[in-house]
Short mmCIF file of all heavy atoms in Angstrom, two decimals:
data_model
loop_
_atom_site.label_atom_id
_atom_site.label_comp_id
_atom_site.label_asym_id
_atom_site.label_seq_id
_atom_site.Cartn_x
_atom_site.Cartn_y
_atom_site.Cartn_z
N GLU A 213 -21.69 46.39 194.17
CA GLU A 213 -21.43 45.87 195.48
C GLU A 213 -20.10 46.45 196.03
O GLU A 213 -20.05 46.54 197.31
CB GLU A 213 -21.28 44.33 195.41
CG GLU A 213 -22.63 43.65 195.08
CD GLU A 213 -23.68 44.03 196.16
OE1 GLU A 213 -23.21 44.09 197.31
OE2 GLU A 213 -24.83 44.10 195.79
N LEU A 214 -19.12 46.87 195.13
CA LEU A 214 -17.94 47.48 195.71
C LEU A 214 -18.36 48.89 196.31
O LEU A 214 -17.74 49.20 197.39
CB LEU A 214 -16.90 47.77 194.55
CG LEU A 214 -16.24 46.63 194.01
CD1 LEU A 214 -15.49 46.86 192.73
CD2 LEU A 214 -15.30 45.95 195.09
N ARG A 215 -19.17 49.68 195.79
CA ARG A 215 -19.77 50.94 196.31
C ARG A 215 -20.46 50.67 197.60
O ARG A 215 -20.21 51.61 198.55
CB ARG A 215 -20.67 51.67 195.25
CG ARG A 215 -19.95 52.18 194.12
CD ARG A 215 -20.99 53.07 193.33
NE ARG A 215 -22.16 52.45 192.92
CZ ARG A 215 -22.22 51.85 191.64
NH1 ARG A 215 -21.24 52.00 190.82
NH2 ARG A 215 -23.26 51.25 191.28
N LEU A 216 -21.20 49.59 197.76
CA LEU A 216 -21.91 49.29 198.95
C LEU A 216 -21.10 48.86 200.13
O LEU A 216 -21.70 48.85 201.36
CB LEU A 216 -23.05 48.36 198.69
CG LEU A 216 -24.16 48.84 197.83
CD1 LEU A 216 -25.15 47.62 197.52
CD2 LEU A 216 -24.92 49.94 198.57
N LEU A 217 -19.85 48.63 200.04
CA LEU A 217 -18.93 48.15 201.07
C LEU A 217 -18.63 49.23 202.07
O LEU A 217 -18.60 48.98 203.23
CB LEU A 217 -17.67 47.72 200.45
CG LEU A 217 -17.55 46.25 199.84
CD1 LEU A 217 -16.21 46.02 199.21
CD2 LEU A 217 -18.08 45.19 200.78
N GLU A 218 -18.49 50.42 201.55
CA GLU A 218 -18.21 51.55 202.51
C GLU A 218 -19.20 51.72 203.66
O GLU A 218 -20.39 51.83 203.36
CB GLU A 218 -17.94 52.81 201.77
CG GLU A 218 -17.31 53.91 202.63
CD GLU A 218 -16.70 55.10 201.83
OE1 GLU A 218 -17.10 55.14 200.56
OE2 GLU A 218 -16.06 56.02 202.44
N GLY A 219 -18.66 51.70 204.79
CA GLY A 219 -19.77 51.91 206.02
C GLY A 219 -20.30 50.56 206.43
O GLY A 219 -21.24 50.51 207.15
N ALA A 220 -19.73 49.41 205.97
CA ALA A 220 -20.21 48.07 206.28
C ALA A 220 -19.16 47.17 206.65
O ALA A 220 -18.77 46.31 205.94
CB ALA A 220 -21.00 47.56 204.98
N PRO A 221 -18.70 47.38 207.92
CA PRO A 221 -17.40 46.53 208.33
C PRO A 221 -17.78 45.10 208.35
O PRO A 221 -19.06 44.76 208.73
CB PRO A 221 -17.19 47.09 209.66
CG PRO A 221 -18.42 47.83 210.11
CD PRO A 221 -19.06 48.43 208.89
N GLY A 222 -16.84 44.25 208.16
CA GLY A 222 -17.17 42.74 208.12
C GLY A 222 -17.76 42.31 206.63
O GLY A 222 -17.86 41.12 206.47
N SER A 223 -17.92 43.20 205.78
CA SER A 223 -18.31 42.91 204.43
C SER A 223 -17.11 42.64 203.48
O SER A 223 -16.04 43.13 203.74
CB SER A 223 -19.20 43.98 203.94
OG SER A 223 -20.25 44.29 204.65
N PHE A 224 -17.33 41.92 202.43
CA PHE A 224 -16.45 41.73 201.36
C PHE A 224 -17.00 41.49 200.05
O PHE A 224 -18.15 41.15 199.90
CB PHE A 224 -15.50 40.38 201.87
CG PHE A 224 -16.21 39.22 201.56
CD1 PHE A 224 -16.12 38.50 200.46
CD2 PHE A 224 -17.06 38.62 202.69
CE1 PHE A 224 -16.82 37.25 200.23
CE2 PHE A 224 -17.66 37.45 202.53
CZ PHE A 224 -17.61 36.77 201.38
N VAL A 225 -16.17 41.63 199.00
CA VAL A 225 -16.51 41.31 197.66
C VAL A 225 -15.17 40.53 197.09
O VAL A 225 -14.04 41.08 197.11
CB VAL A 225 -16.68 42.56 196.72
CG1 VAL A 225 -16.75 42.11 195.35
CG2 VAL A 225 -18.05 43.16 197.17
N GLU A 226 -15.36 39.29 196.60
CA GLU A 226 -14.35 38.51 196.09
C GLU A 226 -14.65 38.09 194.70
O GLU A 226 -15.75 37.79 194.42
CB GLU A 226 -14.18 37.28 196.88
CG GLU A 226 -12.99 36.39 196.46
CD GLU A 226 -12.99 35.02 197.32
OE1 GLU A 226 -12.29 35.12 198.27
OE2 GLU A 226 -13.71 34.09 196.77
N PHE A 227 -13.74 38.50 193.72
CA PHE A 227 -14.09 38.24 192.36
C PHE A 227 -12.87 37.78 191.49
O PHE A 227 -11.70 37.98 191.99
CB PHE A 227 -14.76 39.43 191.74
CG PHE A 227 -13.67 40.62 191.52
CD1 PHE A 227 -13.17 40.90 190.34
CD2 PHE A 227 -13.55 41.50 192.61
CE1 PHE A 227 -12.31 42.00 190.22
CE2 PHE A 227 -12.82 42.64 192.38
CZ PHE A 227 -12.11 42.88 191.26
N GLU A 228 -13.19 37.19 190.42
CA GLU A 228 -12.16 36.41 189.55
C GLU A 228 -12.36 36.77 188.20
O GLU A 228 -13.46 36.96 187.78
CB GLU A 228 -12.25 34.94 189.81
CG GLU A 228 -11.47 34.07 188.93
CD GLU A 228 -11.96 32.57 189.06
OE1 GLU A 228 -12.71 32.25 189.79
OE2 GLU A 228 -11.35 31.84 188.22
N ASN A 229 -11.22 37.05 187.43
CA ASN A 229 -11.34 37.53 185.98
C ASN A 229 -11.01 36.30 185.20
O ASN A 229 -10.77 35.03 185.55
CB ASN A 229 -10.53 38.65 185.60
CG ASN A 229 -8.97 38.27 185.84
OD1 ASN A 229 -8.55 37.16 185.96
ND2 ASN A 229 -8.12 39.39 185.68
N ALA A 230 -10.88 36.58 183.75
CA ALA A 230 -10.68 35.48 182.79
C ALA A 230 -9.34 34.81 183.08
O ALA A 230 -9.18 33.60 182.58
CB ALA A 230 -10.86 36.03 181.37
N SER A 231 -8.42 35.42 183.58
CA SER A 231 -7.05 34.87 183.79
C SER A 231 -7.01 34.03 184.98
O SER A 231 -5.83 33.54 185.44
CB SER A 231 -5.94 36.00 183.80
OG SER A 231 -5.97 36.74 182.47
N GLY A 232 -8.11 34.04 185.78
CA GLY A 232 -7.94 33.29 187.07
C GLY A 232 -7.47 34.05 188.24
O GLY A 232 -7.18 33.55 189.38
N GLN A 233 -7.13 35.46 188.01
CA GLN A 233 -6.74 36.19 189.10
C GLN A 233 -8.00 36.59 190.10
O GLN A 233 -8.99 36.77 189.54
CB GLN A 233 -6.13 37.44 188.58
CG GLN A 233 -4.86 37.34 187.74
CD GLN A 233 -4.42 38.50 187.03
OE1 GLN A 233 -5.25 39.16 186.31
NE2 GLN A 233 -3.24 39.01 187.17
N VAL A 234 -7.69 36.65 191.33
CA VAL A 234 -8.75 36.78 192.42
C VAL A 234 -8.35 37.96 193.18
O VAL A 234 -7.23 38.20 193.63
CB VAL A 234 -8.83 35.57 193.19
CG1 VAL A 234 -9.91 35.81 194.32
CG2 VAL A 234 -9.20 34.32 192.30
N TRP A 235 -9.43 38.84 193.38
CA TRP A 235 -9.19 40.06 194.34
C TRP A 235 -10.28 39.91 195.45
O TRP A 235 -11.39 39.59 195.11
CB TRP A 235 -9.50 41.22 193.45
CG TRP A 235 -8.35 41.78 192.69
CD1 TRP A 235 -7.20 42.57 192.88
CD2 TRP A 235 -8.17 41.23 191.35
NE1 TRP A 235 -6.46 42.50 191.83
CE2 TRP A 235 -6.99 41.81 190.82
CE3 TRP A 235 -8.83 40.31 190.43
CZ2 TRP A 235 -6.55 41.56 189.58
CZ3 TRP A 235 -8.39 40.14 189.11
CH2 TRP A 235 -7.24 40.83 188.70
N ASN A 236 -9.83 40.28 196.64
CA ASN A 236 -10.76 40.39 197.74
C ASN A 236 -10.71 41.77 198.23
O ASN A 236 -9.70 42.30 198.58
CB ASN A 236 -10.38 39.43 198.92
CG ASN A 236 -11.35 39.33 199.97
OD1 ASN A 236 -11.39 40.28 200.90
ND2 ASN A 236 -12.16 38.26 200.06
N VAL A 237 -11.91 42.40 198.34
CA VAL A 237 -12.11 43.83 198.70
C VAL A 237 -12.85 43.93 199.87
O VAL A 237 -13.95 43.31 200.00
CB VAL A 237 -12.53 44.64 197.50
CG1 VAL A 237 -12.65 46.03 198.00
CG2 VAL A 237 -11.81 44.46 196.29
N GLU A 238 -12.34 44.60 200.94
CA GLU A 238 -13.07 44.79 202.18
C GLU A 238 -13.06 46.19 202.65
O GLU A 238 -12.19 46.91 202.22
CB GLU A 238 -12.38 43.93 203.35
CG GLU A 238 -12.35 42.42 203.04
CD GLU A 238 -11.60 41.77 204.13
OE1 GLU A 238 -12.05 41.67 205.28
OE2 GLU A 238 -10.39 41.26 203.86
N TRP A 239 -13.91 46.66 203.52
CA TRP A 239 -13.93 48.01 204.18
C TRP A 239 -14.09 47.78 205.67
O TRP A 239 -15.08 47.10 206.06
CB TRP A 239 -15.07 48.78 203.67
CG TRP A 239 -14.85 50.17 204.19
CD1 TRP A 239 -14.33 51.37 203.58
CD2 TRP A 239 -15.48 50.73 205.26
NE1 TRP A 239 -14.33 52.36 204.39
CE2 TRP A 239 -15.03 52.09 205.48
CE3 TRP A 239 -16.22 50.29 206.49
CZ2 TRP A 239 -15.43 52.92 206.54
CZ3 TRP A 239 -16.55 51.00 207.34
CH2 TRP A 239 -16.21 52.38 207.58
N ASN A 240 -13.05 48.07 206.40
CA ASN A 240 -13.11 47.91 207.88
C ASN A 240 -12.54 49.25 208.47
O ASN A 240 -11.73 49.34 209.49
CB ASN A 240 -12.28 46.83 208.50
CG ASN A 240 -12.85 45.49 208.03
OD1 ASN A 240 -14.06 45.24 208.53
ND2 ASN A 240 -12.27 44.51 207.44
N GLY A 241 -13.34 50.37 208.04
CA GLY A 241 -12.71 51.59 208.56
C GLY A 241 -11.67 52.28 207.49
O GLY A 241 -11.45 53.44 207.49
N SER A 242 -11.04 51.22 206.75
CA SER A 242 -10.16 51.70 205.59
C SER A 242 -10.28 50.49 204.61
O SER A 242 -10.95 49.54 204.81
CB SER A 242 -8.74 51.73 206.14
OG SER A 242 -8.31 50.51 206.66
#
Side-chain angles (χ1 to χ4, degrees):
E213 293 304 325
L214 287 174
R215 288 193 297 267
L216 289 172
L217 283 177
E218 189 165 11
S223 304
F224 71 91
V225 172
E226 180 185 273
F227 67 98
E228 172 187 357
N229 70 1
S231 299
Q233 298 169 303
V234 177
W235 286 267
N236 186 282
V237 182
E238 303 175 68
W239 187 90
N240 285 306
S242 60

